[in-house]
């Protein structure tokens, strides 16, 4: 098993570059979708112990977003991609997509769920696009599952499914910014069955 | 929710904690995880396990308290070492939700499998479950008061109850 504590600055840099490409893709898709100039900051990259994801976000924080299973076309890399927003940001996404004034939405209804899901989808597919650009791998996402609850509660079933063979996750933390708003956004990749090691191998090949 | 000034002991995923002083044992954000609270009213010794997975694999190297069987059996043994009597132990269980609408099978059923495993172990050990708040599709935070065995359950920011 990979000793994650030995992951050095090189990998963090490589992941940041990957995240940066993804953020660029996502920013332009979102600007196109909303007609607003949305910028996504260069993501912070964190390699976290698998049990600490809830803590990183704040265990009690209510979040909304998507979880989707992604796999590559040769069956080497797969895992769960979890894209979400702390609830305040999720409510602003609904405002933006529904063309309402900032601060209008107070609750996530059926329509709101689709709006958040849509933006989460864009983030997930931007991550997959970045992997294609940067690492030349094809990651295909399964249909996503919407979620809206305490961050640590949502991580539970993913942990249960990967905890037997992986110990770390890669988290990209970034911010959506425009003239009218700014809020945090998380994209966390939970690799399954040796997927992280293969991903690191690819980063090394491409970059070192 | 913290009535009075009880100290709080957090119980992380895959851990269990035993307390013999008045304290609050807290498991935050239980999704498909199950929190199992055991207490002996007579001598006021309690334990809370935050269980991630149902049954441990046969490989002894993989024995860990993230599995229901390992966590509960070890916790019961330690509680007995601290003077608990098996016939005085009572259980309250919380969590085991199904957090997602659809997902691959193994993930969909994990909450349910955790609950089933916890019930069958408690049954084997002859420990009655006197209260529970399990299943459904939302996360829960539980706080167990070791002074009197009450458990406070909070779901998101809206619902809460005592069991």
């Amino acid at each position: 098993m990979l000793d994650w504590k030995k992951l050095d600055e090189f990998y963090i840099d490589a992941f940041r570059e990957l995240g940066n490409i993804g953020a660029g893709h996502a920013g332009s898709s979102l600007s196109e979708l909303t007609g607003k100039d949305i910028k996504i900051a260069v993501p912070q990259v964190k390699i976290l112990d698998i049990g600490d994801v809830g803590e990183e976000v704040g265990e009690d924080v209510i979040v909304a977003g998507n979880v989707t299973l992604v796999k590559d076309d040769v069956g080497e890399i797969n895992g769960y991609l979890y894209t979400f927003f702390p609830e305040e940001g999720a409510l602003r996404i609904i405002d933006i997509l529904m063309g309402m004034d900032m601060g209008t939405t107070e609750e996530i209804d059926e329509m709101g769920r689709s709006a958040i899901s849509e933006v989460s989808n864009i983030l997930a597919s931007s991550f997959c696009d970045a992997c294609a650009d940067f690492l030349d791998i094809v990651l295909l996402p399964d249909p996503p599952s919407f979620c809206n609850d305490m961050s640590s509660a949502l991580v539970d079933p993913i942990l249960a499914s990967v905890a037997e063979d992986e110990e770390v996750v890669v988290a990209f933390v970034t911010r959506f910014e425009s003239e009218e708003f700014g809020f945090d956004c998380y994209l966390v990749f939970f690799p399954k069955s040796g997927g992280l090691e293969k991903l690191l191998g690819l980063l090394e090949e491409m970059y070192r | 929710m913290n009535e009075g000034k009880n100290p709080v002991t957090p119980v992380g995923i895959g851990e269990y904690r035993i307390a013999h002083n008045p304290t609050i044992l807290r498991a935050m954000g239980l999704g498909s995880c199950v929190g199992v609270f055991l207490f002996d009213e007579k001598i006021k010794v309690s334990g809370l396990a935050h269980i991630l997975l149902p049954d441990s694999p046969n490989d002894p190297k993989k024995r860990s308290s993230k599995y229901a069987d390992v966590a509960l059996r070890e916790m019961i043994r330690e509680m007995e070492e601290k003077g608990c009597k098996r016939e005085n132990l009572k259980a309250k269980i919380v969590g085991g939700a199904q957090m997602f609408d659809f997902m691959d099978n193994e993930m969909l059923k994990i909450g349910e499998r955790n609950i089933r495993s916890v019930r069958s172990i408690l049954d084997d050990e002859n420990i009655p479950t006197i209260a529970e708040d399990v299943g459904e599709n939302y996360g829960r935070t539980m706080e167990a008061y070791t002074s009197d065995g009450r458990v406070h359950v909070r779901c998101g920011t809206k619902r809460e109850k005592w069991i």
Side-chain angles (χ1 to χ4, degrees):
Chain A
M1 205 180 283
L2 188 83
D3 183 357
W4 64 277
K5 290 186 178 84
K6 286 197 186 130
L7 283 182
D8 59 14
E9 206 45 40
F10 163 78
Y11 290 109
I12 303 281
D13 276 348
F15 273 122
R16 194 178 299 124
E17 186 55 31
L18 180 68
N20 208 6
I21 297 173
H25 277 289
S28 47
S29 303
L30 282 169
S31 301
E32 222 168 280
L33 180 73
T34 58
K36 292 179 198 296
D37 187 20
I38 300 178
K39 291 200 172 52
I40 302 183
V42 177
Q44 265 182 288
V45 177
K46 297 182 178 180
I47 312 283
L48 300 173
D49 186 286
I50 212 163
D52 292 342
V53 180
E55 213 171 300
E56 168 69 25
V57 187
E59 285 174 314
D60 242 9
V61 173
I62 306 285
V63 302
N66 281 355
V67 176
T68 175
L69 182 65
V70 297
K71 11 182 201 285
D72 71 355
D73 51 347
V74 290
E76 288 207 325
I77 294 172
N78 69 92
Y80 295 99
L81 205 52
Y82 182 17
T83 46
F84 63 91
F85 310 88
E87 202 166 39
E88 182 56 31
L91 295 173
R92 298 299 71 83
I93 284 174
I94 302 174
D95 290 342
I96 299 162
L97 261 70
M98 301 297 160
M100 295 183 283
D101 290 338
M102 282 300 122
T104 310
T105 306
E106 285 170 3
E107 239 178 31
I108 301 174
D109 58 7
E110 208 44 50
M111 194 74 107
R113 289 169 65 121
S114 340
I116 296 161
S117 218
E118 183 61 31
V119 175
S120 291
N121 273 338
I122 290 175
L123 289 172
S125 58
S126 301
F127 175 82
C128 294
D129 287 350
C131 287
D133 286 358
F134 190 52
L135 301 173
D136 208 18
I137 52 173
V138 181
L139 287 180
L140 304 165
D142 273 4
S145 204
F146 178 80
C147 54
N148 178 202
D149 209 308
M150 290 182 257
S151 68
S152 49
L154 292 169
V155 170
D156 273 6
I158 314 179
L159 288 185
S161 122
V162 303
E164 292 194 44
D165 48 29
E166 293 283 359
E167 285 182 343
V168 298
V169 302
V170 187
F172 299 89
V173 186
T174 184
R175 265 183 88 72
F176 282 35
E177 301 275 5
S178 86
E179 278 181 4
E180 303 158 85
F181 53 80
F183 50 82
D184 292 337
C185 153
Y186 292 78
L187 184 149
V188 185
F189 182 58
F190 294 77
K192 281 181 84 167
S193 40
L196 182 63
E197 221 153 335
K198 296 200 181 86
L199 198 59
L200 293 174
L202 283 174
L203 285 172
E204 190 147 355
E205 230 171 81
M206 290 292 154
Y207 209 54
R208 192 162 246 172
Chain B
M1 159 136 302
N2 187 349
E3 291 180 339
K5 289 204 167 58
N6 286 310
V8 174
T9 306
V11 184
I13 294 179
E15 296 177 343
Y16 64 87
R17 291 277 178 271
I18 293 168
H20 43 91
N21 293 316
T23 180
I24 297 171
L25 294 167
R26 177 194 284 158
M28 296 262 272
L30 296 162
S32 55
C33 283
V34 179
V36 181
F37 177 57
L38 298 182
F39 66 106
D40 180 330
E41 233 169 346
K42 295 251 164 64
I43 63 163
K44 310 273 185 213
V45 169
S46 320
L48 177 62
H50 187 152
I51 289 159
L52 176 65
L53 289 161
D55 303 299
S56 60
N58 282 328
D59 184 352
K61 272 184 287 182
K62 291 196 168 164
R63 269 182 69 83
S64 139
S65 59
K66 61 189 173 197
Y67 298 101
D69 53 344
V70 178
L72 291 181
R73 298 221 156 91
E74 281 183 6
M75 186 163 85
I76 293 167
R77 185 179 49 75
E78 276 185 42
M79 289 176 75
E80 284 177 332
E81 280 170 15
K82 291 190 193 302
C84 291
K85 291 266 183 311
R86 181 69 62 105
E87 58 270 27
N88 294 337
L89 286 181
K90 294 190 171 66
K92 293 188 177 182
I93 60 182
V94 173
Q98 181 184 313
M99 298 306 296
F100 300 109
D101 303 341
F102 62 96
M103 262 292 161
D104 47 295
N105 255 348
E106 105 193 86
M107 203 148 124
L108 196 68
K109 298 278 180 211
I110 190 72
E112 200 183 305
R113 283 166 51 211
N114 280 337
I115 295 288
R116 212 180 311 139
S117 168
V118 164
R119 282 195 181 128
S120 99
I121 294 159
L122 291 175
D123 223 33
D124 281 355
E125 303 287 337
N126 286 315
I127 297 173
T129 300
I130 58 164
E132 59 177 35
D133 182 29
V134 298
E136 308 293 341
N137 60 354
Y138 46 79
R140 300 165 170 94
T141 286
M142 78 184 282
E143 291 184 337
Y145 287 68
T146 62
S147 51
D148 56 8
R150 286 181 311 152
V151 173
H152 181 259
V153 183
R154 189 165 42 80
C155 316
T157 47
K158 295 172 192 96
R159 291 158 295 202
E160 55 175 325
K161 66 170 165 180
W162 289 93
I163 62 166

